[in-house]
Amino acid sequence: MRRFGTLVAGAWVLSACGSTETDSTPAAPAEPGAVTSTTDELGDELTSFDAVTGYNNYYEFTTDKESVASLAKDFQTTPWTLTVGGMVAKPQTFALEDLMKQFPSEERIYRLRCVEGWSMVIPWLGFSLQKLLTTVEPTSEARYVRFETVSRPEEMPGQRDDYFRWPYVEGLRLDEAMNDLTLISTGLYGKQLLPQNGAPLRLVVPWKYGFKSIKSIVKIDLVDQPPQSLWMAAAPNEYGFYANVNPDVPHPRWSQSSERRIGELSRRPTLRFNGYAEQVAHLYDGMDLKENF
Ligand code: MTE
């Protein structure tokens, strides 16, 4: 992540004050749909729809967070298929519409904490990955899950830059993937995902840094070794396999003890496992989380 972390706070503050740093064409306006609550379970307010859909990390398009929406607006998300295979008894390719019928989406309000030090509260729509994995029946050798983003350099200008090893890949341990919090998201703010947020299908793992929440997924494989992610390949000493939100383990180039909630001016303390310790801390019993960062 030569570039990761250098674009953090400044750009948003500027645009929130009404000026823009870029001259890119704005994306077609989109409106939020209905949500069931205006806060998360800690009482923190939802981040505005405009911020959630206007300030994005999606390196396949650009590293400029405020230009992702306009550059991604024509990204083709239909037709779309998701192939689930590897160490499973019943490999399957799902058409998007069948997947959405088979696994109805529900609302999940989660905090998203980017490794760069900013965070949001997002009302996602989606279903537990566990339901999908159970359907394909992982074999007893399966230990990890590997996720892959679509490869479309003709539509995604960032994929023509060979600094990164495309396509974007991420991974989870099988028990992490089977935790009920782990979501395949199909929408947010009561509507289908927009391209900038990883349409039509993206992962959301709320207790891990945002880079684990891989966008526009086409392939999921059950495997027996920890998959190497795009970020691990780019900077192994900075981005580990686990990437659990942890205020006590600094990134080599900055502290992780506090964060800036988008829409707020002052920083707030970062919570262990992003506030989800009760649901997930047991997954790491006996592990040294400084070593397994
Ligand atoms: N997935 C892909 N394929 N490409 C990316 O660049 N960025 C990650 C993650 N998923 C990224 C990705 C990072 S760093 C973050 S913080 C989140 O997406 C941001 O999600 P959002 O733009 O929907 O808030």
Side-chain angles (χ1 to χ4, degrees):
M1 291 184 210
R2 179 184 48 177
R3 292 167 275 197
F4 218 29
T6 57
L7 306 162
V8 189
W12 179 255
V13 172
L14 278 174
S15 82
C17 297
S19 83
T20 53
E21 284 193 311
T22 59
D23 58 0
S24 54
T25 321
E31 296 294 325
V35 288
T36 61
S37 173
T38 56
T39 65
D40 66 11
E41 83 287 4
L42 303 179
D44 290 353
E45 281 187 20
L46 301 184
T47 302
S48 75
F49 177 79
D50 286 353
V52 172
T53 59
Y55 186 76
N56 301 101
N57 268 333
Y58 202 165
Y59 277 32
E60 284 85 339
F61 290 98
T62 171
T63 56
D64 175 2
K65 298 185 199 330
E66 289 163 274
S67 299
V68 176
S70 55
L71 280 168
K73 71 182 191 311
D74 296 325
F75 179 64
Q76 292 301 309
T77 56
T78 47
W80 194 274
T81 56
L82 172 68
T83 300
V84 190
M87 295 173 158
V88 299
K90 296 186 172 160
Q92 203 174 329
T93 294
F94 298 85
L96 179 65
E97 47 289 5
D98 297 336
L99 189 81
M100 290 177 70
K101 264 187 232 141
Q102 193 171 342
F103 305 103
S105 285
E106 59 183 89
E107 187 185 75
R108 297 273 186 103
I109 298 176
Y110 285 160
R111 293 169 290 286
L112 173 84
R113 168 59 155 87
C114 180
V115 72
E116 296 167 332
W118 54 266
S119 61
M120 297 190 185
V121 181
I122 302 179
W124 299 105
L125 293 173
F127 56 89
S128 275
L129 173 63
Q130 179 188 30
K131 294 184 181 162
L132 173 62
L133 295 182
T134 306
T135 302
V136 297
E137 297 180 13
T139 65
S140 57
E141 297 91 70
R143 291 276 179 277
Y144 296 89
V145 188
R146 180 185 183 278
F147 304 84
E148 193 174 302
T149 294
V150 72
S151 201
R152 289 220 205 125
E154 64 290 359
E155 281 183 74
M156 298 172 136
Q159 284 188 339
R160 291 178 231 141
D161 176 350
D162 62 11
Y163 176 76
F164 290 110
R165 196 191 296 164
W166 305 107
Y168 199 102
V169 165
E170 261 306 336
L172 294 175
R173 221 170 52 193
L174 185 55
D175 58 348
E176 298 177 321
M178 295 297 259
N179 186 280
D180 182 60
L181 286 180
T182 305
L183 202 70
I184 292 287
S185 172
T186 56
L188 56 81
Y189 264 104
K191 295 243 178 134
Q192 280 187 7
L193 282 180
L194 292 168
Q196 60 266 39
N197 294 108
L201 294 172
R202 60 97 51 91
L203 187 70
V204 183
V205 196
W207 72 94
K208 293 179 179 280
Y209 291 120
F211 66 87
K212 299 295 285 185
S213 293
I214 180 174
K215 296 179 170 182
S216 305
I217 302 168
V218 288
K219 200 164 175 283
I220 299 179
D221 282 312
L222 283 283
V223 294
D224 60 359
Q225 297 295 321
Q228 192 191 44
S229 69
L230 171 139
W231 287 118
M232 287 162 71
N237 58 326
E238 300 193 7
Y239 306 101
F241 175 78
Y242 283 96
N244 292 317
V245 174
N246 191 339
D248 303 326
V249 178
H251 181 280
R253 291 184 280 135
W254 57 86
S255 164
Q256 293 291 21
S257 66
S258 70
E259 66 199 57
R260 201 170 60 83
R261 181 66 48 84
I262 298 299
E264 296 178 355
L265 288 177
S266 51
R267 296 180 74 85
R268 48 163 72 215
T270 287
L271 303 177
R272 205 168 147 255
F273 296 108
N274 205 21
Y276 301 97
E278 207 177 300
Q279 293 98 315
V280 301
H282 68 274
L283 297 171
Y284 310 101
D285 280 349
M287 277 178 71
D288 180 341
L289 295 179
K290 286 201 162 77
E291 213 169 281
N292 297 286
F293 59 90

